[in-house]
């Protein structure tokens, strides 16, 4: 039996009956694909009460202290009334963010007209609100799969948090002029080093592999950091997994002819990652002294890092990594990884798995030290492909009509971590966290929310909050599976201690509750 309606409600219904049929369909809301994964499954709505449809906890005006009650997983950033910042343990008031380039590789998404949040369908059996409510407008309704957590009839563009996020993105954009200038300098140095390496018999077939945030178009702030990978094809080798990690391997030759130039790096039967990296580093160090037109110095080796880091003109940092290229089937540990069947399609997944994979001289952690002869799997080239073709629709972000906010959310998450690391650089709590952790969590969220409509640019606040919620969940559960190697946990206790994860979780929660002061004032 349907609940009885008051006079005011009947008048509203009669008025709404004059809306054209197409608008009425829009007001009812789009049908949700039953195969879609919800953005935040744990954010269940409470039962409808006598004062109308149930709302999510994120739309409450009052905030609970971060340590006493867990907040709703999904909320439009800034949807509530702005309050003075809360006190958080080990946190201090944020200064304005450092001066950064306000430019970008991609033009900012066009601002859409303010849209109504009305139109949520009432649960069966729920009683009407005592006060009359105007009928929903005929404009666009919330996208399927993205929970609505702002008060009904609040305009999504009116939220100060959404405007602030767009202002942050605008600040993070890099001008083509700055990018071209920095890239020209880096390419000159890289080309010089590549030529020298090819003159050495052990690195004769080396080539550059274009990967990293510069080529993924998700670089932020300033064009002062670059990642470069030098790939070297190595045929007829076999891999021996190290300690059931699924990510680290010993490399052996199936045959070891005397003429193999890599035989000098053998440690018994194993191709020594430390020996090969040492020689790679030695050649680069010698060659930078021959570069006369550019100031290039080599930074001190970081323990356990596979990269050789150069500082160019005292302002541009370049990480150069050696990678072995293997044109064979991917290891068994990757069989269940790359979960993009419902996102980019099973066909795309099959095509990507036919591409080569790489091994970098990254040492596995062993107790308080490292196993220096191991190599780690790398799929940075596949990550680049995914970000370049990230939409379920093949034309996503190719024109103004088909836009999503996936990359914008990734940029904001990277910037959030970057700013927190800068803010607490003296505490050393965040040293072990990197943008790779953020990107991995982001890929998992894209798998859970595969539809382009779930990443509507008009819902930037909701989508970003969804990303923050997911990353917080990974920190609290201490689980972040490598996107390609599901059995390898990037947040395991032997890689990052629990206190560091708790510290980062607390700071992110504080930032979210106070509309991200670490982003600065706008």
């Amino acid at each position: 039996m349907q609940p009885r309606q008051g006079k005011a409600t009947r008048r509203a219904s009669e008025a709404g009956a004059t809306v054209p049929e197409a608008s009425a369909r829009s007001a009812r809301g789009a049908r949700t694909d039953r195969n879609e994964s919800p953005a935040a499954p744990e954010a269940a709505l409470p039962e409808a009460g006598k004062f109308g449809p149930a709302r999510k906890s994120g739309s409450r005006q009052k905030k609970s202290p971060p340590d006493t009650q867990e907040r709703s997983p999904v909320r439009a950033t800034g949807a509530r009334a702005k309050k003075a910042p809360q006190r958080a343990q080990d946190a201090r008031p944020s200064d304005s963010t450092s001066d950064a380039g306000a430019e970008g590789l991609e033009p900012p998404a066009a601002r859409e007209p303010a849209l109504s949040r009305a139109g949520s369908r009432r649960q069966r059996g729920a009683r009407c609100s005592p006060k009359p409510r105007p009928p929903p407008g005929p404009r666009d309704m919330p996208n399927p799969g993205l929970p609505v957590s702002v008060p009904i009839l609040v305009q999504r563009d009116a939220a100060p948090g959404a405007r602030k996020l767009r202002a942050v993105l605008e600040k993070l954009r890099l001008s083509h002029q700055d990018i071209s200038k920095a890239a020209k300098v880096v390419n000159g140095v890289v080309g010089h080093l590549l030529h020298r390496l090819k003159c050495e018999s052990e690195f004769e077939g080396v080539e550059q592999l274009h990967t990293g945030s510069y080529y993924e178009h998700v670089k932020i702030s300033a064009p002062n950091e670059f990642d470069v990978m030098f790939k070297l094809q190595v045929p007829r080798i076999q891999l021996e997994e190290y300690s059931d990690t699924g990510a680290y391997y010993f490399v052996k030759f199936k045959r070891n002819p005397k003429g193999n130039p890599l035989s000098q790096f053998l440690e018994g039967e194993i191709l020594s990652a430390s020996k090969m990296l040492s020689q790679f580093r030695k050649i680069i160090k010698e060659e930078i002294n021959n570069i006369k037109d550019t100031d290039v110095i080599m930074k001190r080796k970081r323990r356990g890092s596979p990269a050789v880091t150069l500082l160019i003109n005292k302002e541009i940092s370049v990480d150069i990594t050696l990678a072995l290229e293997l044109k064979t089937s991917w290891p068994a540990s990757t069989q269940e990884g790359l979960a993009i069947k419902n996102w980019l399609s099973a066909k795309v997944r099959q095509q990507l798995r036919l591409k080569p994979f790489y091994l970098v001289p990254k040492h596995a952690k062993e107790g308080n030290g490292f196993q220096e002869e191991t190599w780690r799997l790398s799929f940075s080239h596949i990550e680049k492909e995914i970000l370049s073709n990230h939409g379920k629709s093949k034309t996503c972000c190719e024109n103004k009509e088909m836009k999503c906010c996936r990359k914008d959310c990734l940029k904001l998450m990277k910037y959030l971590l970057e700013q927190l690391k800068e803010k607490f650089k003296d505490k050393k709590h965040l040293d072990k966290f990197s943008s790779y952790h953020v990107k991995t969590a982001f890929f998992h969220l894209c798998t859970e929310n595969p539809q382009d409509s779930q990443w509507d640019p008009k819902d930037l606040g909701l989508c970003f909050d969804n990303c923050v919620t997911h990353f917080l969940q990974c920190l609290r559960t201490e689980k972040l599976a490598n996107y390609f190697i599901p059995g390898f946990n990037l947040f395991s206790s032997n890689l990052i201690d629990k206190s560091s994860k708790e510290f980062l979780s607390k700071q992110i929660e504080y930032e979210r509750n106070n509309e991200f002061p670490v982003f600065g004032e706008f």
Side-chain angles (χ1 to χ4, degrees):
M1 179 174 180
Q2 296 295 333
R4 219 169 32 170
Q5 296 180 333
K7 293 180 180 180
T9 305
R10 287 199 301 272
R11 285 198 296 272
S13 301
E14 292 169 3
T18 63
V19 178
E21 182 181 352
S23 299
R25 282 198 302 269
S26 174
R28 282 195 297 270
R31 183 176 56 192
T32 303
D33 187 347
R34 68 180 59 189
N35 293 325
E36 293 178 16
S37 301
E42 65 273 16
L45 285 172
E47 294 182 359
K50 65 179 181 179
F51 295 107
R55 294 191 307 173
K56 295 192 176 182
S57 59
S59 62
R60 294 176 305 198
Q61 293 296 324
K62 293 184 179 180
K63 294 186 293 184
S64 300
D67 293 333
T68 60
Q69 182 175 355
E70 186 173 345
R71 57 183 306 285
S72 174
V74 179
R75 183 189 69 243
T77 307
R80 61 192 178 286
K82 189 170 182 180
K83 292 188 177 182
Q86 300 177 3
R87 294 176 61 89
Q89 186 176 357
D90 295 329
R92 62 175 183 271
S94 171
D95 298 330
S96 295
T97 52
S98 57
D99 293 335
E103 305 93 359
L105 281 169
E106 301 168 356
R111 181 177 294 277
E112 300 288 342
L115 299 178
S116 171
R117 279 295 187 195
S120 298
R121 212 179 298 185
R122 187 171 70 246
Q123 296 180 4
R124 180 169 297 180
R127 300 181 63 180
C128 297
S129 172
K131 296 183 180 180
R133 180 176 296 159
R139 297 297 297 269
D140 296 341
M141 304 306 296
N143 293 317
L146 277 175
V148 179
S149 55
V150 295
I152 292 178
L153 294 183
V154 169
Q155 311 231 335
R156 71 179 85 183
D157 252 5
R163 291 196 296 270
K164 180 172 183 176
L165 294 179
R166 292 187 178 95
V168 172
L169 287 169
E170 188 62 30
K171 184 181 76 169
L172 296 180
R173 297 190 189 280
L174 307 174
S175 72
H176 290 287
Q177 182 179 358
D178 288 344
I179 293 171
S180 299
K181 183 179 178 181
K184 184 178 180 180
V185 174
V186 172
N187 289 337
V189 173
V190 168
H192 196 108
L193 297 176
L194 194 61
H195 181 268
R196 166 63 193 279
L197 285 167
K198 287 183 176 181
C199 295
E200 303 293 331
S201 59
E202 61 268 36
F203 299 114
E204 185 176 3
V206 71
E207 295 178 358
Q208 184 177 354
L209 182 65
H210 300 287
T211 62
S213 59
Y214 171 72
Y215 298 101
E216 293 167 351
H217 292 183
V218 290
K219 187 162 229 6
I220 59 174
S221 299
N224 59 357
E225 292 184 357
F226 292 83
D227 297 310
V228 177
M229 188 173 284
F230 286 167
K231 63 178 183 178
L232 182 66
Q233 187 174 344
V234 184
R236 297 189 300 275
I237 65 172
Q238 65 184 35
L239 302 180
E240 180 181 310
E241 186 176 350
Y242 169 75
S243 189
D244 296 324
T245 58
Y248 293 92
Y249 292 83
F250 292 117
V251 175
K252 297 180 179 180
F253 289 104
K254 292 182 179 178
R255 296 177 183 176
N256 186 24
K258 295 180 180 179
N260 189 337
L262 298 181
S263 59
Q264 61 178 302
F265 304 125
L266 289 177
E267 189 70 35
E269 296 181 342
I270 296 173
L271 180 63
S272 171
S274 59
K275 284 185 176 181
M276 200 163 179
L277 178 58
S278 179
Q279 180 66 6
F280 182 71
R281 185 180 180 88
K282 178 182 177 182
I283 294 173
I284 292 177
K285 188 173 183 178
E286 291 175 354
E287 191 57 28
I288 61 176
N289 294 325
N290 297 326
I291 301 177
K292 304 300 182 183
D293 57 342
T294 307
D295 179 26
V296 185
I297 62 174
M298 180 179 290
K299 297 183 74 172
R300 185 176 179 180
K301 186 180 185 302
R302 291 171 292 175
R303 190 182 182 205
S305 172
V308 176
T309 304
L310 304 179
L311 187 62
I312 302 176
N313 293 337
K314 299 180 180 179
E315 60 179 0
I316 302 176
S317 178
V318 181
D319 282 346
I320 303 178
T321 304
L322 174 66
L324 305 182
E325 183 181 60
L326 280 72
K327 295 183 176 181
T328 61
S329 299
W330 290 15
S333 61
T334 68
Q335 191 63 40
E336 301 299 323
L338 192 59
I340 60 173
K341 289 182 180 180
N342 295 328
W343 171 22
L344 303 180
S345 80
K347 182 179 178 181
V348 170
R349 183 180 187 273
Q350 183 180 14
Q351 291 172 343
L352 292 177
R353 285 182 60 86
L354 291 176
K355 293 181 178 291
F357 66 96
Y358 295 89
L359 293 166
V360 297
K362 171 72 174 178
H363 311 319
K365 193 168 182 181
E366 192 174 66
N368 294 327
F370 293 92
Q371 169 50 260
E372 296 188 347
E373 310 310 331
T374 56
W375 299 77
R376 191 192 65 190
L377 294 178
S378 173
F379 298 95
S380 56
H381 59 308
I382 306 297
E383 295 165 10
K384 174 192 169 186
E385 292 248 4
I386 293 175
L387 287 173
S388 297
N389 303 282
H390 55 261
K392 190 173 182 67
S393 167
K394 303 306 177 186
T395 58
C396 183
C397 292
E398 289 185 3
N399 54 61
K400 293 182 179 179
E401 289 73 28
M402 298 287 292
K403 287 286 186 181
C404 78
C405 64
R406 288 183 179 93
K407 284 190 176 182
D408 284 343
C409 286
L410 178 56
K411 289 178 182 178
L412 288 168
M413 287 299 297
K414 290 177 64 175
Y415 188 58
L416 174 60
L417 179 60
E418 178 185 285
Q419 292 300 98
L420 287 175
K421 291 187 69 171
E422 176 64 23
K423 181 178 179 180
F424 297 104
K425 60 184 178 182
D426 296 334
K427 289 183 175 291
K428 307 296 182 182
H429 286 291
L430 308 182
D431 288 352
K432 294 181 180 179
F433 294 98
S434 71
S435 61
Y436 187 74
H437 294 115
V438 167
K439 183 162 66 171
T440 299
F442 169 77
F443 281 149
H444 284 297
L445 196 60
C446 287
T447 292
E448 295 177 11
N449 299 273
Q451 303 299 327
D452 296 339
S453 60
Q454 293 173 297
W455 299 88
D456 193 316
K458 296 187 292 294
D459 291 320
L460 176 62
L462 287 171
C463 294
F464 175 60
D465 194 75
N466 205 10
C467 291
V468 172
T469 297
H470 181 72
F471 193 68
L472 283 171
Q473 183 181 15
C474 293
L475 288 168
R476 290 164 181 163
T477 60
E478 299 187 79
K479 292 180 181 178
L480 178 59
N482 185 291
Y483 195 63
F484 300 88
I485 314 165
F488 186 65
N489 182 12
L490 298 174
F491 278 173
S492 64
S493 57
N494 67 316
L495 294 178
I496 303 178
D497 59 278
K498 185 173 183 177
S499 62
S500 293
K501 283 172 279 197
E502 289 176 344
F503 182 84
L504 179 56
S505 176
K506 182 185 297 183
Q507 301 311 320
I508 292 177
E509 189 65 60
Y510 169 80
E511 291 294 327
R512 180 165 69 172
N513 289 340
N514 294 281
E515 296 187 355
F516 301 96
V518 76
F519 284 166
E521 296 296 331
F522 292 91

